[in-house]
Amino acid sequence: MNYEEICQEVCRIAKTTGGFIKQEREKAQLNIETKGLNDFVTHVDKASEELIVEQLQALLPDAGFIVEEGTKTQKGDTYNWIVDPIDGTTNFIHGLAPFAISIALQEKGETVVGVVYEMGLNECFYSWKGGNAYLNKSRIKVSNAKTVSDSLIATGFPYSNYSRMEAFLKSLTYFMENSHGIRRLGSAATDLAYVACGRLDSFYEYDLKPWDVAAGAFLVQQAGGQVCDFTKENNYLFGKEIVASNNATFEEFSTIVNQIMTK
Ligand code: IPD
Ligand code: CA
Ligand code: CA
């Protein structure tokens, strides 16, 4: 398989679908439904997922799908796409950037292509196995920050699963007092893409799904950073917790998250 060619096609699919999403945003009705506490979906999430799935299926007919809105549930033996049609739906509803399309391709459980297309700034982040990581054709790398105290850190604030609030608030206190600051952008895929290109130094969040992180985590690794779960193991895709950081601060940052979030 030519991963680079597949990746370029995925970028094209993400950009054309992004055009549709932005067009729909201008319409009066977004048909907002509630999936759970503060968990929203619009007709645009569903329609754009269908558009993406249809085009990815034409690209690789044997591949299966893990997709947020459940428009396709069939799994593939070798290849699977992991798709979030709009990561940052709450931002999208409020007309606030960032919100992004996140698409990853896995081969036997290993990510081989990752694309995050952030529609607010029209920025496409992408990489493929064996290649470098790019933002709109320019090569990207993680930052050079050497310590957590020199880092800008992103996270996601809990909005429906409050089971780890006490530890999470402790982590906020720690990072407020011991870093350049904390950001909550509202799109985990974008948070990870921003770590990959060095705008952010580190990111952590709990209760995330595979479609939130699959493409972005791959981008961080391809851009020279590292990713793990809160126990510093590898279960960040399906394990609902992720830590991502540039290479230089990864050990320090992941140890702090581990010590605060798992106690
Ligand atoms: C959400 C965003 C958000 C994160 C949430 C996710 P959605 O994805 O990534 O930043 O904090 O946990 O669910 O629902 O907008 O696709
Ligand atoms: Ca998401
Ligand atoms: Ca989504």
Side-chain angles (χ1 to χ4, degrees), residues 177-227:
E177 292 176 352
N178 294 282
S179 75
H180 281 189
I182 302 174
R183 298 291 180 268
R184 197 295 189 242
L185 302 181
S187 160
T190 306
D191 290 318
L192 288 161
Y194 283 8
V195 173
C197 73
R199 289 177 188 163
L200 296 168
D201 303 295
S202 311
F203 168 69
Y204 72 112
E205 185 168 347
Y206 77 85
D207 207 28
L208 289 174
K209 309 292 188 311
W211 43 79
D212 300 315
V213 298
F218 179 66
L219 286 168
V220 170
Q221 291 167 325
Q222 293 289 94
Q226 296 188 54
V227 185

Side-chain angles (χ1 to χ4, degrees), residues 88-124:
T89 294
T90 302
N91 281 0
F92 172 72
I93 289 169
H94 288 264
L96 177 73
F99 48 92
I101 295 174
S102 174
I103 303 175
L105 175 64
Q106 289 212 315
E107 182 180 49
K108 296 190 178 134
E110 178 198 1
T111 304
V112 292
V113 166
V115 173
V116 173
Y117 175 54
E118 197 286 297
M119 292 165 266
L121 290 175
N122 193 24
E123 290 187 322
C124 191

Side-chain angles (χ1 to χ4, degrees), residues 35-52:
K35 292 196 281 188
L37 179 62
N38 298 320
D39 187 7
F40 308 108
V41 61
T42 71
H43 78 274
V44 192
D45 296 73
K46 292 178 192 167
S48 54
E49 185 174 289
E50 278 170 358
L51 274 176
I52 293 166

